[in-house]
Amino acid sequence: PLYKYEGFWFHQGFWFHSEASFSVEVVMALQEEFVAQPTNVFLATYPKSGTTWLKALAFAIANRTMCKGSNPTHPLLTTNPHYCVPFIETEPFLTNPCYNNDLLATHLPYTLLPKSVISSNCRIVYVCRNPKDVFISFWHFVNKLLSDDMSPEMKLEDAFELFSKGVSPNGSCWDHVIGYRKASIERPDKVLFLSYEEMKKDPKSEVKKLATFLGYPFEEGDGEIEEIIKLCSFKKLREVSKANKDGHKAIPNDAFFRKGEVGDSVNYLTPEMIEVLDKITLEKFNGLDISF
Ligand code: A3P
């Protein structure tokens, strides 16, 4: 069951086997108690929009020297990116090895970020994704967790009803994107807005943009960008996660890697469902210059 808080939905208390991670109690506590540093960079996403990929890329960029010459000891060759960049909403991730504390991640909507994130003036990177693909990715993810837990799976129609009404953990996918998109327009030096689709289409240019924003611009022509893109590719990260089974107790490592493609939702959604989601997207994103 989900509960509405300040316009967005969250679960209460425990979720699967995890502690109270991502719960409304944690969200409320973080708002007042979390102390952001001006040097922090928050990697913000709506779940299933490319969080794992963004974490890997930002971590690889910020720890650039480790990437030189496909260094076999690079943490991303043995560790799920979620352990390299912790979520602030999950206490278990915070207690795990963290190689660069300046990078932190969150699924919180912009308006519910801890107050100190805005007052510290630290930077935020947001990745959005076509809501149709987010929905299908999320539906698969939840069903994987449910089946691992021997619980009945969620029907596509039921999940669709909830998602299209914005009743999902972290609230409406559309409102989540809108909050960060507006922030990126108002504070472009502090909020970088990227999209999963652009990252897939032109990884080099998007990774360059990300590196410049993070303060680690690339020199042209030394092959570093290509190396980072390869290290953080879907194929490579999935390979690493399959080899390393010791994931978080609630979420197995490989649950974060399914297909990694743009447009897979057409293989699952009915034409009517597509029409509904496209209509919401068109209305909600009107005038915000967001296209997929
Ligand atoms: P699909 O379910 O469509 O395959 P998140 O990391 O926010 O949980 O998002 C998960 C989605 O990103 C999944 O989408 C997953 O396969 C995809 N993904 C994970 N790593 C990726 C990568 N390196 N490149 C592209 N997509 C990736």
Side-chain angles (χ1 to χ4, degrees):
L2 295 171
Y3 301 87
K4 203 173 195 176
Y5 174 64
E6 304 277 341
F8 292 87
W9 296 85
F10 298 92
H11 68 270
Q12 210 173 6
F14 291 87
W15 185 69
F16 286 95
H17 307 289
S18 62
E19 280 80 89
S21 305
F22 297 103
S23 67
V24 70
E25 294 90 336
V26 170
V27 174
M28 289 161 82
L30 281 170
Q31 272 194 303
E32 300 301 330
E33 290 164 28
F34 184 84
V35 183
Q37 305 298 324
T39 51
N40 284 148
V41 178
F42 281 82
L43 308 181
T45 50
Y46 188 78
K48 304 296 123 199
S49 302
T51 323
T52 317
W53 191 14
L54 175 65
K55 283 185 177 189
L57 287 169
F59 179 81
I61 290 167
N63 296 280
R64 185 84 61 81
T65 48
M66 289 188 193
C67 285
K68 284 261 187 287
S70 309
N71 178 357
T73 64
H74 195 289
L76 285 171
L77 290 173
T78 50
T79 317
N80 183 306
H82 288 287
Y83 290 95
C84 300
V85 183
F87 279 114
I88 57 169
E89 299 99 309
T90 54
E91 187 274 331
F93 280 123
L94 283 172
T95 57
N96 270 292
C98 176
Y99 302 91
N100 186 333
N101 290 319
D102 278 350
L103 288 177
L104 294 168
T106 185
H107 283 322
L108 286 172
Y110 187 75
T111 49
L112 290 181
L113 285 172
K115 291 180 179 148
S116 64
V117 173
I118 309 297
S119 63
S120 70
N121 217 16
C122 63
R123 284 163 297 168
I124 299 169
V125 180
Y126 188 77
V127 170
C128 79
R129 188 181 188 189
N130 191 324
K132 286 181 290 192
D133 287 348
V134 169
F135 167 60
I136 289 302
S137 181
F138 192 63
W139 176 65
H140 278 288
F141 180 75
V142 168
N143 277 343
K144 172 157 177 54
L145 299 191
L146 287 170
S147 73
D148 286 354
D149 213 36
M150 311 283 185
S151 301
E153 294 195 356
M154 198 174 191
K155 282 202 205 124
L156 183 71
E157 296 72 24
D158 297 342
F160 177 82
E161 272 303 301
L162 294 170
F163 184 85
S164 53
K165 290 194 185 111
V167 187
S168 274
N170 297 283
S172 150
C173 172
W174 295 274
D175 293 346
H176 203 280
V177 174
I178 289 170
Y180 284 94
R181 179 63 188 137
K182 287 188 172 162
S184 76
I185 294 168
E186 283 157 19
R187 308 170 60 217
D189 54 329
K190 293 294 170 191
V191 185
L192 176 69
F193 190 88
L194 302 173
S195 85
Y196 183 92
E197 289 73 16
E198 279 298 316
M199 286 161 66
K200 287 289 287 187
K201 198 169 98 188
D202 189 356
K204 202 169 161 184
S205 132
E206 298 308 287
V207 169
K208 254 172 139 173
K209 216 186 277 177
L210 175 61
T212 304
F213 183 80
L214 293 176
Y216 304 91
F218 285 105
E219 300 280 330
E220 271 306 322
D222 60 2
E224 257 189 326
I225 303 188
E226 288 78 5
E227 217 153 310
I228 285 179
I229 291 172
K230 208 165 119 199
L231 178 70
C232 302
S233 66
F234 176 81
K235 194 166 161 266
K236 189 76 206 163
L237 294 183
R238 189 169 65 163
E239 197 181 290
V240 170
S241 84
K242 276 198 188 304
N244 172 14
K245 296 273 176 223
D246 336 318
H248 181 259
K249 63 185 165 182
I251 305 174
N253 273 340
D254 59 0
F256 295 100
F257 309 97
R258 192 182 62 89
K259 272 198 173 169
E261 285 170 11
V262 171
D264 182 49
S265 52
V266 296
N267 300 316
Y268 297 90
L269 297 171
T270 63
E272 292 74 28
M273 287 173 169
I274 290 177
E275 201 181 318
V276 171
L277 295 184
D278 281 347
K279 189 163 174 274
I280 302 173
T281 302
L282 211 65
E283 283 171 9
K284 287 266 192 185
F285 293 170
N286 182 29
L288 289 173
D289 191 23
I290 308 169
S291 55
F292 301 104

